[in-house]
Amino acid sequence: MIPIPDGDNEDEINLSDQDMEVFKEYGGAVSFLTSLDKKGIARSKKETERLHRLNKPVRKAINDDDLPSIDSEDEDDGGSFKSSDIEFSSSLDDNFEDSDHNDTSDAEMTYEKAPRKHSHSGETEERRGIKGLPIKLPGGDVRPTGKVTFAPVTDSGEEDSDSDEPNFQEQPRKIDDVSTGARFGRPAVIDVVSNQSKASRIRAAKEQIAGICQEIVSDPENSLGLLRRLHTFSLSEITTPSHPDPVTNDPMIRKLSILSQLAVFKDIIPGYRIRALSDKEKAEKVSQMVARTRDWEQGLVTTYQTYLRLLEEEIKARSDLANIALESVCALLKEAPHFNFRVNLMSCIVARLSKKSWDSSCELCLDTLIHVFRDDLTGVVSLEIVRLLNRMIKEKRFNVRPEVLSCLLHLRLKTELGVRASDSSVDKPVKKESGSKAAARRAKGKNTELPHLSKKAKKALKEKREIDKEFREAEAEVDKEERVVTQTETLKLLFVLYFRILKNPQPTPLLPAALHGISRFAHLVNIDFFKDLLTVLKELISRESHDDDTIDFTVTSANNIRHRLSSLNLDLSDFISALYALILPLSLMMDVDSAPPLSVTGTSLMKTQSVSDMLFRTLNLVFSPRSLGTTAPPGRSAAFAKRLLSASMHWPPAAAQRALDFVGGLIAKDPKLEALLSTKDRTFNGIYRPDLDDPELSNTFGTSFWELHTLREKHWDPKVSAEAEKILSIIRS
């Protein structure tokens, strides 16, 4: 043990001058040495532990019950006490008080566990609530969170000693998500929409919508929340968890949001169709990249579906944004006909075409369908549109505009349907021979199309087919066989629609459009179907119909006969007689060469030709050897020439000139008609019957073409006179 020097003996301390200088400079830092316990420092470790054990207080647990101690002698002694007991208890109290100051134990006493008792008699609801701390927004504004914690309310004088913890009630905090709340330095959607100034409101919405669109296009896979936020601006009423009361949105902001979503979806929609995952695929363990891609695809489909529902609601409600919604639907169908929910887009367009009124929106829908037909490579989209049109026309009972059927003329069937229909039998799918039947035929010694394959060869063939299928999908090429099957189904539905229109007992405005469609696609069907078609056309001609319809019937029949001469031997005498009877009434039509007015955009192909155009087109088909296979009889040619000359006396110069040109062609083909150019007296076999509508019975050779001389000498138009002079100057050697 090192002895501690005594500070009272100052004479024995010798300090040098250097030590004194150091003491003067740093003497304040050693002033704590004067307060040290000299005895405690000089005491040894064993002595310190002995004193600690000797003076350690002993805490005795307080006995709260009233039962006597187990050391009492009997029950009677429990009720009496002595003076010694009082002295012992007082000593215990003194020891207990001393132990409270010297105890270092961590054990909690009973009074420490008891809850605090508050008096709520004079407090209100607001004073009892404890408000949470406010938060600071990115813009620098401080806003309270709204979190309030309430203490339990107890009656005065009532004590709850059984509960160990206070019962607090906490209100759930309402937080706005990324689609509505304030995020990334942008104010909340509800704050933008509820701005009182219209100019400020629209300007703030424009800035936020532009920023959102830019971020979505730059990183689509991580912007599903922003895509939902962009859709929030297009809602008519906006509600958030923090603002449950709906706030009416500005129509201009809704319009901007709808058009912005259209532009964004046109950019981020993938080039493939997203299908729903099966339960087995959802249970599979995939990589993080695949899981992230799946989540993005499913979120994109959900947001896209929500957007389409909004557009459909606006169109059905006929609101102020109905035209914008319809334009968005048409644009989406043009840009992404391969993506999900294309049937919903087609349904909106077809429903608009079913209206009786016709305006620019109908023309837009019609142009959209034509654009889809022309760009459809697989034929699947065209098939779905034809099905919807067929169903719509049937439900409307043919009370639709004829322009609706004009879009069907743009189907890619005439040039791409490579397999022609059979000329002798109805097309039937060829059934492939199964493996069991092939094995049975081989067992009997008969030839089969399928060779014998072992199990190993069958397995290898199956694997090869799967690999080839994957290669075809990877190349993204259109399967020609599947396209032929799809287009054949489209052709069947198309002619079912046309036949339903033709067989309707009451004439409909769709009849000319159906005839045009039949004339365009009839060469693709088989011969049995074609015979039924001609039968229906004859029945329609026998009815009392309009002159234009009769011309359509004859044009359709002649055009169809032209494609079927190699396999058919049919007589068109009924159609020719109807055409001959039609010329005389047409001679009294003043606007025979006037074309009907076009539609709004001019895309409709129906009724764009004048009556004279249709008449001379039909005459060229009837008297063309390429159409009928043989030259027309002289009596028929003479009858038509005579009636056309009679009509040219009343027609305008343009129609009269075309009639003279056609008559000159007939005379050039058949030399027997030259005899009718002379007006000299000659012997006739019978008399001319102009009142008969049968060209074979009119006996045209019993008269002459005296109309040519009248037109040459009396007609006021010099071109018509010159054409008549040209015909009369025909001289054959």
Side-chain angles (χ1 to χ4, degrees):
M1 183 181 298
I2 300 175
I4 298 176
D6 190 3
D8 297 334
N9 191 3
E10 298 179 355
D11 298 336
E12 296 179 0
I13 300 176
N14 296 322
L15 296 176
S16 63
D17 297 337
Q18 186 178 1
D19 294 337
M20 293 300 294
E21 292 178 359
V22 173
F23 181 76
K24 290 179 180 179
E25 184 177 359
Y26 301 103
V30 296
S31 60
F32 69 93
L33 296 176
T34 58
S35 61
L36 291 178
D37 186 7
K38 298 179 181 180
K39 294 182 180 180
I41 295 175
R43 191 182 301 124
S44 64
K45 182 178 180 181
K46 292 183 179 180
E47 182 67 15
T48 303
E49 292 178 355
R50 187 185 65 82
L51 294 175
H52 180 71
R53 287 194 301 270
L54 181 64
N55 299 326
K56 183 178 181 181
V58 179
R59 175 179 293 180
K60 184 177 180 181
I62 300 175
N63 190 11
D64 295 336
D65 55 6
D66 298 333
L67 297 178
S69 176
I70 57 176
D71 296 333
S72 58
E73 296 180 359
D74 51 11
E75 296 179 358
D76 297 333
D77 296 338
S80 60
F81 58 90
K82 300 179 182 179
S83 59
S84 60
D85 295 334
I86 298 175
E87 296 176 357
F88 178 74
S89 61
S90 61
S91 63
L92 285 178
D93 294 338
D94 297 336
N95 294 335
F96 181 75
E97 292 177 358
D98 296 337
S99 65
D100 290 342
H101 299 284
N102 300 327
D103 189 15
T104 58
S105 177
D106 295 334
E108 295 182 355
M109 301 304 291
T110 306
Y111 70 90
E112 294 177 338
K113 295 182 180 181
R116 292 184 178 181
K117 300 179 179 59
H118 300 278
S119 176
H120 305 283
S121 58
E123 294 184 358
T124 60
E125 186 71 20
E126 295 181 356
R127 294 179 61 185
R128 286 191 294 103
I130 303 175
K131 297 182 179 180
L133 296 176
I135 60 174
K136 187 174 183 180
L137 299 177
D141 299 334
V142 178
R143 190 177 71 178
T145 59
K147 180 179 179 182
V148 180
T149 304
F150 295 94
V153 181
T154 57
D155 298 337
S156 57
E158 181 181 357
E159 297 181 357
D160 188 6
S161 59
D162 298 335
S163 61
D164 296 337
E165 297 179 1
N167 185 17
F168 292 97
Q169 296 180 357
E170 182 178 352
Q171 286 186 349
R173 181 183 177 185
K174 299 179 180 179
I175 305 176
D176 297 339
D177 56 359
V178 68
S179 62
T180 56
R183 294 292 189 279
F184 310 111
R186 298 187 180 94
V189 178
I190 200 73
D191 297 337
V192 176
V193 175
S194 59
N195 195 343
Q196 298 297 330
S197 176
K198 184 175 181 179
S200 302
R201 179 169 64 245
I202 295 177
R203 183 175 61 255
K206 284 182 179 180
E207 293 176 357
Q208 189 165 161
I209 289 174
I212 291 173
C213 294
Q214 186 176 2
E215 292 188 16
I216 292 174
V217 174
S218 61
D219 189 9
E221 295 187 359
N222 297 324
S223 303
L224 286 177
L226 294 177
L227 199 59
R228 292 192 295 268
R229 186 183 185 91
L230 181 61
H231 177 73
T232 306
F233 280 100
S234 62
L235 300 178
S236 59
E237 293 183 350
I238 301 176
T239 58
T240 61
S242 60
H243 298 79
D245 297 333
V247 178
T248 305
N249 197 358
D250 191 281
M252 180 58 66
I253 298 178
R254 297 187 62 201
K255 181 179 178 180
L256 293 174
S257 178
I258 290 175
L259 296 178
S260 300
Q261 289 181 82
L262 172 63
V264 168
F265 279 121
K266 288 168 63 176
D267 288 338
I268 68 174
I269 283 179
Y272 54 89
R273 183 182 180 89
I274 300 176
R275 61 177 181 85
L277 298 176
S278 60
D279 297 337
K280 183 178 179 181
E281 291 175 340
K282 293 179 180 179
E284 291 179 352
K285 186 177 181 180
V286 296
S287 62
Q288 185 178 2
M289 183 179 298
V290 175
R292 185 167 60 252
T293 304
R294 286 182 176 180
D295 294 340
W296 176 75
E297 289 178 347
Q298 300 301 323
L300 176 63
V301 170
T302 304
T303 311
Y304 184 67
Q305 185 182 15
T306 307
Y307 176 61
L308 294 185
R309 287 177 179 174
L310 174 66
L311 297 180
E312 188 175 357
E313 291 175 358
E314 295 295 331
I315 294 174
K316 289 183 178 179
R318 298 181 181 180
S319 61
D320 297 337
L321 301 177
N323 292 331
I324 299 297
L326 186 61
E327 292 177 2
S328 302
V329 168
C330 294
L332 287 174
L333 186 60
K334 286 182 180 179
E335 296 294 333
H338 61 279
F339 199 59
N340 300 55
F341 308 110
R342 63 187 177 197
V343 179
N344 300 71
L345 300 175
M346 298 173 188
S347 301
C348 293
I349 295 176
V350 172
R352 184 63 188 89
L353 291 175
S354 64
K355 306 298 181 182
K356 293 183 179 180
S357 59
W358 192 265
D359 52 7
S360 59
S361 62
C362 297
E363 290 292 340
L364 176 63
C365 296
L366 194 64
D367 292 340
T368 302
L369 296 183
I370 293 174
H371 183 274
V372 172
F373 285 153
R374 289 176 177 175
D375 295 344
D376 186 16
L377 299 178
T378 60
V380 178
V381 181
S382 301
L383 177 60
E384 294 176 354
I385 294 177
V386 172
R387 283 176 178 170
L388 292 175
L389 288 175
N390 200 339
R391 186 185 309 167
M392 182 268 292
I393 294 174
K394 183 179 179 181
E395 292 177 354
K396 290 290 183 178
R397 297 181 180 179
F398 312 105
N399 293 325
V400 296
R401 301 279 298 187
E403 289 85 354
V404 177
L405 291 184
S406 65
C407 64
L408 299 177
L409 300 177
H410 297 273
L411 287 169
R412 302 181 68 169
L413 301 177
K414 188 174 182 180
T415 57
E416 295 192 2
L417 194 57
V419 181
R420 284 180 61 91
S422 175
D423 293 334
S424 59
S425 62
V426 179
D427 294 339
K428 294 182 179 180
V430 180
K431 296 182 179 180
K432 295 183 179 181
E433 192 176 13
S434 61
S436 59
K437 292 183 179 180
R441 289 178 63 85
R442 283 194 299 268
K444 295 180 181 179
K446 298 180 181 180
N447 296 328
T448 59
E449 297 179 358
L450 298 177
H452 175 69
L453 298 176
S454 61
K455 292 184 178 180
K456 186 176 181 180
K458 290 180 179 179
K459 184 177 180 181
L461 180 61
K462 183 178 179 181
E463 293 178 354
K464 183 177 180 301
R465 289 177 179 175
E466 293 179 355
I467 293 174
D468 294 340
K469 182 179 179 181
E470 292 179 358
F471 271 111
R472 287 195 301 269
E473 293 178 354
E475 293 174 357
E477 293 182 355
V478 180
D479 192 351
K480 294 182 179 180
E481 295 181 358
E482 294 181 358
R483 183 175 61 184
V484 168
V485 172
T486 304
Q487 291 186 350
T488 303
E489 183 67 23
T490 305
L491 186 64
K492 290 180 181 179
L493 290 175
L494 186 64
F495 271 86
V496 165
L497 174 61
Y498 287 156
F499 254 63
R500 188 179 290 119
I501 295 173
L502 294 180
K503 291 186 176 182
N504 190 36
Q506 298 179 356
T508 64
L510 300 178
L511 189 58
L515 292 173
H516 277 269
I518 292 173
S519 178
R520 186 178 182 86
F521 300 113
H523 66 284
L524 300 175
V525 298
N526 55 50
I527 189 172
D528 296 336
F529 193 88
F530 183 72
K531 290 180 179 180
D532 296 337
L533 174 61
L534 290 182
T535 303
V536 174
L537 290 177
K538 287 181 180 180
E539 293 178 358
L540 291 175
I541 289 179
S542 62
R543 301 179 187 175
E544 295 181 0
S545 58
H546 196 267
D547 297 340
D548 297 350
D549 296 338
T550 305
I551 296 178
D552 288 335
F553 301 149
T554 310
V555 170
T556 304
S557 304
N559 194 17
N560 295 337
I561 285 291
R562 183 179 62 181
H563 298 287
R564 292 297 182 180
L565 287 177
S566 59
S567 58
L568 291 177
N569 186 15
L570 299 176
D571 184 17
L572 285 178
S573 58
D574 295 337
F575 301 99
I576 294 174
S577 299
L579 182 62
Y580 178 75
L582 184 64
I583 297 176
L584 197 59
L586 290 179
S587 62
L588 303 177
M589 184 180 294
M590 299 301 297
D591 54 348
V592 67
D593 57 348
S594 300
L598 297 176
S599 57
V600 178
T601 61
T603 57
S604 177
L605 298 180
M606 309 310 303
K607 289 296 185 181
T608 57
Q609 294 180 343
S610 62
V611 177
S612 61
D613 294 337
M614 298 174 63
L615 175 62
F616 288 106
R617 179 192 172 194
T618 308
L619 290 174
N620 290 326
L621 290 174
V622 170
F623 287 94
S624 175
R626 188 177 178 182
S627 298
L628 300 178
T630 58
T631 306
R636 180 186 300 171
S637 300
F640 272 90
K642 178 65 175 177
R643 184 154 287 194
L644 285 174
L645 290 175
S646 301
S648 62
M649 299 285 289
H650 308 278
W651 279 342
Q657 191 174 357
R658 295 181 67 178
L660 293 176
D661 186 31
F662 184 78
V663 171
L666 292 179
I667 296 174
K669 291 178 184 178
D670 195 345
K672 294 182 180 181
L673 271 64
E674 293 183 8
L676 298 176
L677 296 177
S678 175
T679 57
K680 296 180 180 180
D681 295 337
R682 67 180 187 274
T683 304
F684 299 110
N685 186 10
I687 60 174
Y688 173 58
R689 296 291 304 274
D691 56 322
L692 297 179
D693 291 335
D694 191 349
E696 303 295 338
L697 302 178
S698 61
N699 192 18
T700 311
F701 286 99
T703 182
S704 63
F705 292 160
W706 58 266
E707 292 88 357
L708 289 174
H709 298 274
T710 305
L711 292 173
R712 183 187 61 178
E713 299 174 359
K714 302 293 184 180
H715 203 278
W716 57 271
D717 191 283
K719 294 182 180 180
V720 177
S721 300
E723 190 68 27
E725 179 65 26
K726 181 181 178 181
I727 296 174
L728 290 174
S729 64
I730 295 177
I731 300 174
R732 291 186 179 273
S733 58

